[in-house]
Amino acid sequence: MSQHGTDRVKRGMAEMQKGGVIMDVVNAEQARIAEAAGATAVMALERVPSDIRRDGGVARMADPRITEEVMKAVSIPVMAKARIGHIVEARILEAMGVDYIDESEVLTPADEEFHLLKNQYTVPFVCGCRNLGEAARRIGEGASMLRTKGEPGTGNIVEAVRHLRQVNAEVRKVIAMSEDELMTEARNLGASYEFLKEVKSLGRLPVVNFAAGGIATPADAALMMELGADGVFVGSGIFKSDNPERFARAIVEATTHYQDYKLIAELSKDLGIAMKGIEISTIAAGERMQERGW
Amino acid sequence: MKRIGVLALQGAVREHLQSITACGAEAVSVKWPKDLEELDALILPGGESTTMRRLIDRYGLMEPLQDFAETGKPMFGTCAGLILLAKTVVGSDEAHLGVMDVAVERNSFGRQVDSFEAPLEIKGIDGAFEAVFIRAPHIVSAGPSAEVLCVHDGKIVMAKSGQFLGCSFHPELTEDHRITEYFLSMIPSKSDLLLPN
């Protein structure tokens, strides 16, 4: 009688993350720090995005040993990244019992044409998007959660803001459209007609949408909540800062109380230096992770 | 109109607020101790219990929440909310609010790949209730004052103990508002309060 891996079960898991912060970690010790700071989940990976960017080379799924140690270290959900289109990395993570898979542009894509058919898995997936068309295609493939992409590993919020504004503006446009305009909008966005009808009738995206890619301070996290994110992913921003424990706690609190500006001011005092950050225009177009995904 | 709060630190807050409104009551987000004033009842939603506990401690909500329990007003915890209410959390030295006479075990159905939905028979609710379990806890044992309302797969997944209601699953993830209605019916009406003891 029990059914596993239904849309409701997979999307529901993301609903429980709302208002929370999901933190990138590369080992069990970081995972424990994240959990103690109030992270709602951790993302296990081999290198944080800023190191992937610095070191270059091919970025792959983390060594299963790292993921396993993180899973043993904490009681909160553990997410892990697989390369775009890498069926076997995804199946390995599912077999290991990871709670959520991020089919992520932060890793080097395994397939430059096709994403995973995520509705064939019991484990839920989160995917990146920059606009409503991309969101629609990922949900169509079975993603149960979205995150706007931003530009990972930069500590620069500008792309995260751009993408979240873009998605939300397109959602608002669809809601305001009359039914007879939806088919043309579907064609223009590269989204299915049924998906746009669903967005219009719900008055929002059908899955939870977090913000990611460049969040480095408590104020950045609060900004994304202000702009309508359901929660935030923080990658390099925590463990590349001067004081990861304090940054982690402050980002969690700023996400919960994102409109309490006096409080965020207090939280932001004497935090030490945030990750250094990169100006987007200095990154060659071919090295922008946000361009990955189709 | 009945005024129902939802602890809004993290988790499935919006869904509970909508369900309360759908049942014809006033829904209020609770982030600070002052938000507990003048509520008739309080819901602790699903989410991550470790995150909520840290925020409860950080913002001085523990005592106000325990004081709220002292008033005898109904409190309902779903999933993480049940863990917050329980007197005992298996494998942990201390409880959170520790007000509901049950012992719970976290993640006791397994990891996310083991999460499921299933129709349940619930005492006091007519007909099956489609319940969504996500990395769900279960009630290992219920004290003498507790009434078991539902058992699934040999595990207690819903119970009531005095003013407290708790369940392992997420009624807020469905459009079925019968459990919210059931909870609202636990609020004593004004005429009940006027009756002599």
Side-chain angles (χ1 to χ4, degrees), chain A residues 2-4 6 8-9 12-13 15-18 36-40 75-77 97 99 253 256 260, chain B residues 9-11 15 31-32 47-48 50-51 54-55 58-59 106-107 111-112 114-117 130 134-135 170:
Chain A
S2 299
Q3 291 177 281
H4 295 79
T6 62
R8 206 146 57 169
V9 165
M13 155 81 201
E15 300 286 349
M16 297 309 136
Q17 294 283 310
K18 279 187 305 199
T40 49
S75 66
I76 55 177
D99 295 302
E253 290 169 32
T256 299
D260 194 326
Chain B
L9 298 174
Q10 189 270 318
E15 290 78 2
K31 282 195 173 188
W32 299 99
E48 284 304 319
T50 51
T51 303
R54 209 193 95 60
L55 292 165
R58 180 72 177 78
Y59 291 99
R106 293 180 63 202
N107 301 334
R111 302 195 71 98
Q112 173 59 20
D114 307 305
S115 294
F116 61 95
E117 54 182 286
E130 191 65 29
I134 294 173
R135 290 170 42 94
H170 296 282

Side-chain angles (χ1 to χ4, degrees), chain B:
Chain B
M1 194 191 249
K2 290 169 182 169
R3 212 174 129 82
I4 317 301
V6 178
L7 186 66
L9 298 174
Q10 189 270 318
V13 177
R14 179 180 70 205
E15 290 78 2
H16 274 298
L17 294 171
Q18 283 168 350
S19 185
I20 292 165
T21 310
C23 293
E26 185 187 352
V28 180
S29 286
V30 173
K31 282 195 173 188
W32 299 99
K34 65 172 167 46
D35 301 331
L36 290 166
E37 289 164 18
E38 292 174 26
L39 294 181
D40 294 307
L42 179 68
I43 293 178
L44 309 177
E48 284 304 319
S49 61
T50 51
T51 303
M52 288 190 219
R53 173 60 194 270
R54 209 193 95 60
L55 292 165
I56 284 172
D57 288 345
R58 180 72 177 78
Y59 291 99
L61 274 159
M62 184 52 89
E63 248 188 68
L65 285 170
Q66 285 170 331
D67 290 347
F68 187 89
E70 281 285 307
T71 65
K73 289 177 182 173
M75 296 173 82
F76 176 27
T78 60
C79 194
L82 166 66
I83 296 167
L84 293 178
L85 287 177
K87 271 204 173 138
T88 310
V89 180
V90 174
S92 170
D93 293 339
E94 59 162 334
H96 301 293
L97 299 188
V99 291
M100 181 174 177
D101 195 11
V102 292
V104 299
E105 185 182 316
R106 293 180 63 202
N107 301 334
S108 53
F109 291 89
R111 302 195 71 98
Q112 173 59 20
V113 287
D114 307 305
S115 294
F116 61 95
E117 54 182 286
L120 302 180
E121 295 298 328
I122 299 170
K123 210 170 163 183
I125 293 195
D126 286 334
F129 189 94
E130 191 65 29
V132 185
F133 291 79
I134 294 173
R135 290 170 42 94
H138 89 282
I139 297 171
V140 180
S141 62
S145 69
E147 182 187 5
V148 173
L149 299 179
C150 184
V151 175
H152 177 75
D153 213 5
K155 291 175 171 166
I156 303 172
V157 294
M158 186 168 180
K160 182 180 163 189
S161 174
Q163 79 208 77
F164 303 109
L165 181 67
C167 63
S168 303
F169 50 93
H170 296 282
E172 72 274 20
L173 288 181
T174 63
E175 299 292 311
D176 189 336
H177 302 299
R178 287 177 294 164
I179 291 181
T180 307
E181 278 166 9
Y182 180 96
F183 176 59
L184 293 182
S185 75
M186 288 167 59
I187 301 170
S189 65
K190 295 229 164 71
S191 57
D192 290 342
L193 294 173
L194 293 173
L195 289 175
N197 284 326

Side-chain angles (χ1 to χ4, degrees), chain A residues 7-243:
Chain A
D7 276 353
R8 206 146 57 169
V9 165
K10 296 199 285 188
R11 292 178 178 187
M13 155 81 201
E15 300 286 349
M16 297 309 136
Q17 294 283 310
K18 279 187 305 199
V21 182
I22 300 169
M23 301 183 191
D24 277 2
V25 299
V26 300
N27 56 43
E29 188 202 343
Q30 290 187 353
R32 279 189 283 264
I33 291 171
E35 182 177 47
T40 49
V42 290
M43 175 77 71
L45 72 175
E46 203 153 62
R47 293 175 285 168
V48 292
S50 64
D51 287 342
I52 291 173
R53 197 174 279 291
R54 189 196 61 208
D55 300 344
V58 174
R60 311 178 177 91
M61 172 186 83
D63 181 334
R65 172 75 66 198
I66 295 176
T67 309
E68 193 178 83
E69 282 175 8
V70 168
M71 287 166 69
K72 279 186 193 148
V74 295
S75 66
I76 55 177
V78 176
M79 302 186 172
K81 287 183 193 289
R83 282 180 271 179
I84 291 173
H86 205 307
I87 298 164
V88 174
E89 283 188 354
R91 287 294 183 191
I92 289 169
L93 293 171
E94 181 179 53
M96 288 176 66
V98 160
D99 295 302
Y100 236 89
I101 297 177
D102 185 357
E103 187 186 21
S104 178
E105 69 282 1
V106 166
L107 306 184
T108 310
D111 191 323
E112 294 193 332
E113 197 169 356
F114 304 111
H115 280 254
L116 296 167
L117 188 55
K118 294 166 277 288
N119 58 23
Q120 296 197 328
Y121 295 71
T122 305
V123 66
F125 282 81
V126 55
C127 283
C129 65
R130 290 176 299 174
N131 53 55
L132 190 57
E134 211 172 0
R137 294 190 292 279
R138 297 297 85 79
I139 293 171
E141 292 153 356
S144 308
M145 178 181 188
L146 294 170
R147 52 174 175 75
T148 46
K149 287 178 174 174
E151 186 56 44
T154 60
N156 188 337
I157 198 72
V158 67
E159 297 299 301
V161 168
R162 189 192 317 282
H163 299 157
L164 186 57
R165 278 198 181 274
Q166 178 75 25
V167 170
N168 288 342
E170 287 173 341
V171 166
R172 285 194 299 270
K173 187 178 171 199
V174 165
I175 293 166
M177 277 179 153
S178 70
E179 291 250 351
D180 55 9
E181 295 168 336
L182 288 182
M183 184 59 85
T184 298
E185 185 69 359
R187 183 197 62 194
N188 292 344
L189 292 174
S192 80
Y193 175 62
E194 282 67 30
F195 175 81
L196 294 193
K197 280 207 299 193
E198 189 183 6
V199 169
K200 184 171 167 59
S201 75
L202 286 173
R204 58 176 170 80
L205 287 168
V207 303
V208 165
N209 184 26
F210 272 42
I215 295 160
T217 66
D220 286 348
L223 171 62
M224 301 320 289
M225 296 300 288
E226 180 78 44
L227 292 175
D230 289 316
V232 298
F233 281 89
V234 186
S236 322
I238 290 171
F239 291 99
K240 287 292 168 186
S241 69
D242 258 12
N243 190 334

